[in-house]
């Protein structure tokens, strides 16, 4: 999950992704886009962005069911 500090949507996304990962027995990693110029250029204002195996599953307000489906086909 790509995030930035002081992002209220990122807090919401943590809950959605955390629940989906817990149900799937998976874990997730956060990357702060503001610590890497390449990530900031790629994701800009889209954060939070969630990818599963490099495929973007959503940004801003995340769909937990979409994340669950992506984790299920891994």
């Amino acid at each position: 999950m790509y995030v930035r500090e002081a992002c209220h949507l990122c807090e919401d996304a943590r809950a959605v992704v955390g629940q989906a990962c817990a149900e799937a027995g998976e874990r997730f990693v956060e990357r702060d886009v503001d610590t890497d110029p390449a990530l900031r250029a790629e994701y800009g204002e889209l954060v939070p962005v969630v990818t599963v195996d490099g495929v973007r599953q959503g940004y801003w307000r995340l769909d937990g069911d979409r994340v669950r489906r992506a984790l299920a086909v891994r």
Side-chain angles (χ1 to χ4, degrees):
M1 183 164 73
Y2 297 92
V3 299
R4 69 173 24 104
E5 285 189 40
C7 168
H8 71 281
L9 293 176
C10 297
E11 292 298 322
D12 295 344
R14 278 185 190 96
V16 170
V17 173
Q19 181 66 36
C21 286
E23 291 169 9
E26 298 282 346
R27 65 180 196 85
F28 70 97
V29 175
E30 289 187 19
R31 303 264 325 261
D32 185 333
V33 300
D34 293 326
T35 63
D36 182 326
L39 291 177
R40 181 185 278 177
E42 183 173 356
Y43 295 111
E45 297 301 317
L46 292 180
V47 295
V49 175
V50 170
T51 63
V52 175
D53 295 333
V55 177
R56 187 180 298 170
Q57 300 301 316
Y59 57 93
W60 295 331
R61 298 204 185 277
L62 300 171
D63 179 345
D65 289 334
R66 181 173 180 169
V67 175
R68 284 181 192 85
R69 285 191 303 272
L71 292 171
V73 298
R74 294 185 79 202

